[in-house]
């Protein structure tokens, strides 16, 4: 298992599917794993000053009113940059999350040079028998059931679920975890 490195497992909720067309991150959640144990967490809703389309609201349940008194990107991303400093990043569908994160970091002129692991790619490689590789499907397959207290499609809860999936994948498929590695430069914005 990869336990000697500090891993930050993250998830974002957004206003849409592509930062290239102006969609933004409105919630970020992450957990830090050290030696396989969650040591701290980061969570913030983000008031990026744009309306949330109804289709996006149906996915994550975040509405415009929930963001009114939340901090702007200029306050959140420098703090999150410190949180992930020196860590290997892990995400389920890393290409999606990191494309948004890179876009937001670029707006704040923050570097994003962390290595990346993707639990979606790992599950596709290691669990080809699954009908789909959504986070909830992979978690049910590996863990047996989803936690009752978590909210699907909310950043911190999904980050915690992805952290559990990551840990089990590392235990069961140690060699695949070393092969499924991306650098941020390879993840398009």
């Amino acid at each position: 298992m990869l336990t000697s490195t500090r891993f930050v497992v993250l998830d974002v909720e957004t206003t849409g599917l592509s930062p290239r067309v102006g969609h933004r991150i409105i919630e970020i959640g992450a957990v830090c794993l050290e030696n396989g144990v969650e040591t701290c967490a980061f969570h913030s809703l983000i008031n990026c000053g744009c309306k949330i389309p109804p289709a996006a609201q149906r996915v994550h349940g975040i509405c415009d009113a929930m963001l009114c008194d939340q901090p702007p990107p200029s306050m959140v991303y420098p703090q999150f940059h410190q949180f992930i400093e020196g860590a290997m990043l892990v995400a389920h569908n890393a290409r999606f999350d990191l494309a948004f994160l890179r876009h937001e970091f670029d707006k704040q002129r923050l570097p994003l040079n962390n290595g990346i692991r993707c639990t979606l790619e790992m599950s596709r490689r290691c669990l080809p028998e699954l009908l789909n590789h959504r986070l909830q499907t992979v978690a049910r397959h590996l863990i047996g059931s989803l936690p009752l207290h978590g909210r699907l499609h909310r950043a911190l809860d999904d980050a915690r679920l992805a952290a559990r999936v990551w840990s089990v994948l590392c235990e069961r498929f140690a060699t695949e975890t070393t092969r499924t590695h991306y650098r941020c430069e390879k993840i398009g914005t």
Side-chain angles (χ1 to χ4, degrees):
M1 181 171 158
L2 298 170
T3 56
S4 60
T5 302
R6 182 173 164 259
F7 294 94
V8 171
V9 186
L10 65 95
D11 187 69
V12 300
E13 301 303 334
T14 66
T15 61
L17 299 175
S18 176
R20 282 187 239 161
V21 297
H23 297 146
R24 304 288 302 272
I25 295 175
I26 53 172
E27 184 180 40
I28 191 163
V31 293
C32 179
L33 299 178
E34 296 186 60
N35 298 317
V37 176
E38 182 181 327
T39 58
C40 55
F42 183 98
H43 173 259
S44 184
L45 288 167
I46 304 165
N47 184 347
C48 58
C50 50
K51 296 281 185 194
I52 304 170
Q57 286 184 43
R58 284 192 292 277
V59 172
H60 46 58
I62 301 170
C63 64
D64 295 327
M66 294 169 67
L67 302 181
C68 287
D69 297 326
Q70 299 303 316
S74 61
M75 290 179 66
V76 175
Y77 295 116
Q79 292 174 4
F80 189 65
H81 184 262
Q82 286 182 328
F83 185 79
I84 66 172
E85 187 174 2
M88 178 71 68
L89 302 181
V90 178
H92 196 80
N93 194 1
R95 291 186 189 281
F96 178 86
D97 292 79
L98 273 295
F100 273 95
L101 191 60
R102 172 161 298 289
H103 180 77
E104 298 289 355
F105 271 33
D106 285 350
K107 284 180 167 295
Q108 302 302 317
R109 295 192 169 125
L110 295 168
L112 184 58
N113 300 315
N114 305 64
I116 308 297
R117 299 281 197 254
C118 181
T119 56
L120 173 63
E121 294 300 321
M122 288 173 60
S123 70
R124 285 178 176 158
R125 221 178 252 164
C126 299
L127 304 167
E129 70 276 12
L130 295 182
L131 294 176
N132 68 65
H133 295 272
R134 288 182 286 227
L135 178 60
Q136 295 77 15
T137 303
V138 176
R140 279 190 193 99
H141 179 78
L142 293 174
I143 301 164
S145 65
L146 297 178
L148 297 175
H149 63 279
R151 297 169 294 175
L152 298 178
H153 302 296
R154 290 303 301 269
L156 186 56
D157 292 327
D158 281 357
R160 284 199 164 110
L161 188 58
R164 290 183 66 194
V165 165
W166 165 252
S167 295
V168 174
L169 285 170
C170 286
E171 289 291 333
R172 292 191 187 172
F173 307 102
T175 53
E176 290 298 323
T177 61
T178 58
R179 286 190 209 146
T180 309
H181 175 259
Y182 303 98
R183 293 291 306 165
C184 265
E185 301 82 56
K186 292 182 181 176
I187 299 173
T189 55

